[in-house]
Amino acid sequence: MSLNLTGVTLIYPDGDSRLTALDDVTLDVPPSTLTAVVGPSGSGKSSLLAVAATLITPGTGTVSIDATDTTGMSRRELTDLRRRKIGMVFQQPNLLPSLTALEQLQVVAVLDGRSPAAALPRARELLDAVGLAGEAGRRPHQLSGGQRQRVNIARALMNDPTVLLVDEPTSALDHERGRAVVDLIVRLTRLRGTATVLVTHDTTHLAAADRIAEVRDGRIGHHTGIERAS
Amino acid sequence: MFVGWRDLRFAKGRFALMGTVIVLITLLVGLLSGLTAGLGRQNVSAITGLPADRIAFDVPSAGQSLSYSGTTVTESQWRRWSAVDGVTSAEPLGITTTRATSGDRSAGVSVFGVRPGSALAPDGARTRDGSVVLSTGAADGLGLHSGGTLTLAGRKLHVTAVAGDASFSHTPVIWTSLDTWRAAAPTAAAAPGGPTASVIALRTTGGVDTKAADLAAGTRTVTKGDSLSAIGSYTSENGSLQLMRGFLFAISALVIGAFFTVWTIQRRGDVAVLKALGASTASLLRDALGQAVVLLTAGTLIGTAGAAAVGAALAGTAVPFLVTPTTVVLPAAVIILLGACGAALAIRRITSVDPLTALGSAR
């Protein structure tokens, strides 16, 4: 159970020229570990996350989830895979305005063909895990920024994913709330055994990571060896 | 429809506004349908109620189309048709529109002349020379009952019965004998060769050769349904009302399509998130279309109930409004169907939403 990118290259058309967003990127994220991906703006962090989320198919290289190569899969297979194996924590919470906090989690189960009622116990358990058991009936506009981000995290874990992809989760939060969110992600990574990738520009969160991958000009410069996987 | 239902509850104002528009359009379509059917019945019920399946007209002059007014058939034409194989009944029918008076009351009426004892009249045995059978509309208009008298073309006529509610070209029908009709119909007096009636009402079997019979008799025969276009005002009146109804159907589809186009554009971000979370495009389309159908059905039901209530309130008044499944249920079904088509065209944009846009801070 892990996320593995091998020799991934991604090239975008850029006017008359071509822009290499990812250049021969190899990254291995074992289960129960958190890999922080850092780098300056435009370095390829978001492209790396999009490729890992199977939202973009790379030009060359392979993306494996649970030792299953996703390159060559049909769009429908990728949608199924994303629903069952990948949890995504968006930079903005991206909560649906008409749903309560509890329903934000239930909808993920409904997308997977389960009934909302059947998903209720797990949704409540996850809301409890992120400290929002008392806010289950509130809609996004009734929650604070930090609370919305915690719902975002709980939603990502609803289908018990193998891989958790986290995109700049603290960009809209103050330092203290940001730290609490990162701590929560680390705790859930250990607890749920996910292979977690955390894209961040905030270097203060790096201490929480097991590994640090620095991206520059589409290449992973080096892994910082803080090998602290459990 | 997990998200669709919750959107309906959450965005109450927007959906209530759109629902109101659907209610009003449905109400308008329902009222127009009832009025169209009511006016149509006032125009043609005397013809559609005839116990006949074909109508034979005299061949019109070059460039002229068939018309119930100003046409006559002769006795020889009628006799030829009576002898045609496959014709079980050929009845001459005289039609003219004039005024009848009774005391100080006067009303426009359509005089239908038939042979005494003819099955064409609702109480044919009582349609003798010098007497009339009134439709309820004529009786009400003239304030008459059975046993009363009226004056038609200067002749006093005895009312032998009141039967049926036939009307023709928006006037109630008076059934009388062909001789009495001839006295009231200016075209009958002017026609050459011994005019007998305006048209011949035929009852036929499947084997009748109408082309050969027409050629021999000098007539042109059409089905009873096709003959309705020979009623002067019917085609133009019905055509105008149907055109309005058609435009309303088109407008409802466009308005609903426009609403769901804007709604879908507003929801693009949510759709991108759901796709990124693993929602299939088909499930999102089902959810959105279900939402549209719920809105359409609710709005249409309320509008249809309103139209039916107005129709019930107008029953028995002078307004010709008809409430039947055809005038109430059918327009509602068409609005739902066309509205769903409009919504389906609008929500197809869901297919083009890229889940990648859920990433980053663009939202």
Side-chain angles (χ1 to χ4, degrees), chain B residues 50-55 78-92 115 117-120 200-210 213 221:
Chain B
L50 290 174
D53 56 278
R54 292 171 196 273
I55 306 292
W78 164 52
R79 292 207 179 282
R80 277 182 185 275
W81 266 108
S82 299
V84 171
D85 285 342
V87 173
T88 56
S89 161
E91 285 290 337
R115 290 193 305 157
S118 169
L120 295 182
I200 304 165
L202 304 168
R203 264 198 293 193
T204 61
T205 59
V208 67
D209 184 353
T210 53
T221 304

Coordinates of all heavy atoms in Angstrom, one line a residue, chain B residues 50-55 78-92 115 117-120 200-210 213 221:
Chain B
L50 N -72.2 14.6 -35.8 CA -73.0 13.9 -36.8 C -72.7 12.4 -36.9 O -71.6 12.0 -36.8 CB -72.7 14.5 -38.2 CG -73.2 16.0 -38.5 CD1 -72.7 16.4 -39.8 CD2 -74.7 16.1 -38.4
P51 N -73.7 11.6 -37.0 CA -73.5 10.2 -37.2 C -73.1 9.8 -38.6 O -73.9 9.2 -39.4 CB -74.9 9.6 -36.8 CG -75.9 10.6 -37.1 CD -75.2 11.9 -36.9
A52 N -71.9 10.3 -39.0 CA -71.4 10.2 -40.4 C -69.9 10.1 -40.3 O -69.3 10.5 -39.3 CB -71.9 11.3 -41.2
D53 N -69.3 9.5 -41.3 CA -67.9 9.4 -41.3 C -67.2 10.2 -42.5 O -66.1 10.5 -42.5 CB -67.4 8.0 -41.3 CG -67.9 7.2 -42.5 OD1 -69.1 6.7 -42.4 OD2 -67.2 7.1 -43.5
R54 N -68.1 10.6 -43.5 CA -67.6 11.4 -44.6 C -68.6 12.4 -45.0 O -69.8 12.2 -44.7 CB -67.3 10.5 -45.8 CG -66.1 9.5 -45.7 CD -66.1 8.6 -46.9 NE -65.2 7.4 -46.6 CZ -63.9 7.4 -46.7 NH1 -63.3 8.5 -47.2 NH2 -63.2 6.4 -46.4
I55 N -68.1 13.5 -45.6 CA -69.0 14.6 -46.0 C -68.7 14.8 -47.5 O -67.5 15.0 -47.9 CB -68.7 15.9 -45.2 CG1 -68.8 15.7 -43.7 CG2 -69.7 17.0 -45.7 CD1 -70.2 15.3 -43.2
W78 N -77.3 13.7 -54.4 CA -77.7 12.9 -53.2 C -78.1 11.5 -53.6 O -77.7 10.5 -53.0 CB -78.8 13.7 -52.5 CG -79.5 12.8 -51.4 CD1 -78.9 12.1 -50.5 CD2 -80.9 12.6 -51.4 NE1 -79.9 11.4 -49.8 CE2 -81.1 11.7 -50.3 CE3 -82.0 13.1 -52.1 CZ2 -82.4 11.3 -49.9 CZ3 -83.3 12.7 -51.7 CH2 -83.4 11.8 -50.6
R79 N -79.0 11.4 -54.7 CA -79.5 10.1 -55.1 C -78.3 9.2 -55.6 O -78.3 8.0 -55.4 CB -80.6 10.3 -56.2 CG -81.8 11.0 -55.6 CD -83.1 10.6 -56.4 NE -84.3 11.2 -55.8 CZ -84.8 10.8 -54.6 NH1 -84.4 9.8 -54.0 NH2 -85.9 11.5 -54.2
R80 N -77.4 9.8 -56.3 CA -76.2 9.0 -56.8 C -75.5 8.5 -55.6 O -75.1 7.3 -55.6 CB -75.3 9.9 -57.6 CG -75.7 10.1 -59.1 CD -74.7 10.9 -59.9 NE -75.2 11.1 -61.2 CZ -75.0 10.3 -62.2 NH1 -74.3 9.1 -62.0 NH2 -75.4 10.5 -63.4
W81 N -75.3 9.3 -54.6 CA -74.5 8.8 -53.5 C -75.3 7.7 -52.7 O -74.7 6.8 -52.2 CB -74.2 10.0 -52.5 CG -72.8 10.6 -52.8 CD1 -72.5 11.8 -53.4 CD2 -71.6 10.0 -52.5 NE1 -71.2 12.0 -53.5 CE2 -70.6 10.8 -53.0 CE3 -71.2 8.7 -52.0 CZ2 -69.2 10.6 -52.9 CZ3 -69.8 8.4 -51.9 CH2 -68.9 9.3 -52.3
S82 N -76.6 7.9 -52.7 CA -77.4 6.9 -52.0 C -77.3 5.5 -52.6 O -77.4 4.5 -52.0 CB -78.9 7.3 -52.0 OG -79.1 8.5 -51.4
A83 N -77.0 5.5 -53.9 CA -76.9 4.2 -54.7 C -75.5 3.6 -54.7 O -75.3 2.6 -55.3 CB -77.4 4.5 -56.1
V84 N -74.5 4.3 -54.2 CA -73.2 3.9 -54.2 C -73.0 2.7 -53.3 O -73.4 2.7 -52.2 CB -72.2 5.0 -53.9 CG1 -70.7 4.5 -53.7 CG2 -72.2 6.1 -54.9
D85 N -72.3 1.6 -53.8 CA -71.9 0.5 -53.0 C -71.0 0.9 -51.8 O -70.1 1.6 -52.0 CB -71.2 -0.6 -53.8 CG -72.2 -1.3 -54.7 OD1 -73.4 -1.2 -54.5 OD2 -71.7 -1.9 -55.7
G86 N -71.3 0.4 -50.7 CA -70.5 0.7 -49.5 C -71.0 1.9 -48.8 O -70.4 2.3 -47.7
V87 N -72.0 2.6 -49.3 CA -72.6 3.7 -48.5 C -73.9 3.2 -47.8 O -74.8 2.8 -48.4 CB -73.0 4.9 -49.5 CG1 -73.8 6.0 -48.7 CG2 -71.7 5.4 -50.1
T88 N -73.8 3.2 -46.5 CA -75.0 2.7 -45.7 C -76.0 3.8 -45.5 O -77.2 3.5 -45.2 CB -74.5 2.1 -44.4 OG1 -73.8 3.1 -43.7 CG2 -73.6 0.9 -44.6
S89 N -75.6 5.0 -45.5 CA -76.5 6.1 -45.3 C -76.0 7.4 -46.0 O -74.8 7.7 -45.9 CB -76.7 6.4 -43.8 OG -77.2 7.6 -43.6
A90 N -76.8 8.0 -46.8 CA -76.5 9.3 -47.4 C -77.6 10.3 -47.1 O -78.7 10.1 -47.5 CB -76.3 9.2 -48.9
E91 N -77.3 11.2 -46.2 CA -78.3 12.2 -45.7 C -78.0 13.6 -46.2 O -76.9 14.1 -45.9 CB -78.4 12.1 -44.2 CG -79.1 10.9 -43.6 CD -80.6 10.9 -43.9 OE1 -81.2 11.9 -44.2 OE2 -81.2 9.8 -44.0
P92 N -78.9 14.2 -46.9 CA -78.7 15.7 -47.2 C -78.8 16.5 -45.9 O -79.6 16.2 -45.0 CB -79.8 16.0 -48.2 CG -80.9 15.0 -47.8 CD -80.2 13.8 -47.3
R115 N -83.8 15.8 -43.5 CA -85.0 15.1 -43.9 C -85.8 14.7 -42.6 O -85.2 14.4 -41.6 CB -84.7 13.9 -44.7 CG -84.2 14.2 -46.1 CD -84.2 12.9 -47.0 NE -83.5 11.8 -46.3 CZ -83.7 10.5 -46.6 NH1 -84.7 10.2 -47.5 NH2 -83.0 9.6 -46.1
G117 N -87.2 12.7 -39.8 CA -86.9 11.4 -39.3 C -85.4 11.1 -39.5 O -85.0 10.0 -39.2
S118 N -84.6 12.1 -40.1 CA -83.2 11.8 -40.3 C -82.5 11.5 -39.0 O -82.8 12.2 -37.9 CB -82.6 13.0 -41.0 OG -81.2 12.8 -41.0
A119 N -81.5 10.6 -39.0 CA -80.7 10.3 -37.9 C -79.7 11.4 -37.6 O -79.0 11.4 -36.5 CB -79.9 9.0 -38.0
L120 N -79.5 12.4 -38.5 CA -78.5 13.4 -38.3 C -78.9 14.3 -37.1 O -78.1 14.8 -36.3 CB -78.4 14.3 -39.5 CG -77.8 13.7 -40.8 CD1 -77.7 14.7 -41.9 CD2 -76.5 13.0 -40.5
I200 N -73.7 16.4 -48.2 CA -74.3 15.1 -48.0 C -73.5 14.4 -46.9 O -72.3 14.3 -47.1 CB -74.3 14.3 -49.3 CG1 -75.1 15.0 -50.4 CG2 -75.0 12.9 -49.0 CD1 -74.8 14.4 -51.8
A201 N -74.1 14.0 -45.8 CA -73.4 13.3 -44.8 C -73.5 11.8 -45.0 O -74.6 11.3 -45.2 CB -74.1 13.6 -43.4
L202 N -72.4 11.2 -45.1 CA -72.3 9.8 -45.5 C -71.8 8.9 -44.4 O -71.0 9.2 -43.6 CB -71.3 9.6 -46.7 CG -71.6 10.5 -47.9 CD1 -70.3 10.5 -48.9 CD2 -72.8 10.0 -48.7
R203 N -72.5 7.7 -44.4 CA -71.9 6.6 -43.5 C -71.5 5.5 -44.5 O -72.3 5.1 -45.3 CB -73.0 6.1 -42.5 CG -72.8 6.8 -41.2 CD -73.5 6.0 -40.1 NE -75.0 6.1 -40.3 CZ -75.8 5.7 -39.4 NH1 -75.4 5.2 -38.2 NH2 -77.1 5.7 -39.6
T204 N -70.2 5.2 -44.4 CA -69.7 4.2 -45.4 C -69.1 3.0 -44.7 O -68.7 3.1 -43.5 CB -68.7 4.9 -46.3 OG1 -67.6 5.4 -45.5 CG2 -69.2 6.1 -47.0
T205 N -68.9 2.0 -45.6 CA -68.1 0.9 -45.1 C -66.7 1.0 -45.7 O -66.5 1.9 -46.6 CB -68.7 -0.5 -45.6 OG1 -68.8 -0.4 -47.0 CG2 -70.1 -0.6 -45.0
G206 N -65.8 0.1 -45.4 CA -64.4 0.2 -45.9 C -64.3 0.1 -47.4 O -63.4 0.7 -48.0
G207 N -65.3 -0.5 -48.0 CA -65.1 -0.8 -49.5 C -65.5 0.3 -50.4 O -65.5 0.1 -51.6
V208 N -66.0 1.4 -49.9 CA -66.5 2.4 -50.8 C -65.4 3.1 -51.7 O -64.4 3.4 -51.2 CB -67.3 3.4 -50.0 CG1 -66.4 4.3 -49.1 CG2 -68.1 4.4 -50.9
D209 N -65.7 3.2 -53.0 CA -64.8 3.9 -53.9 C -65.2 5.4 -54.0 O -66.0 5.7 -54.9 CB -64.8 3.2 -55.2 CG -63.8 3.8 -56.2 OD1 -63.2 4.8 -55.8 OD2 -63.6 3.2 -57.3
T210 N -64.7 6.2 -53.1 CA -65.2 7.6 -53.1 C -64.8 8.4 -54.3 O -65.5 9.3 -54.8 CB -64.6 8.3 -51.8 OG1 -63.2 8.2 -51.8 CG2 -65.3 7.8 -50.6
A213 N -67.2 7.6 -57.1 CA -68.5 8.1 -56.7 C -68.5 9.7 -56.9 O -69.4 10.3 -57.4 CB -68.9 7.7 -55.3
T221 N -65.5 14.4 -51.8 CA -65.7 13.9 -50.5 C -64.5 13.8 -49.6 O -63.4 13.5 -50.0 CB -66.3 12.4 -50.6 OG1 -67.4 12.5 -51.5 CG2 -66.6 11.8 -49.3

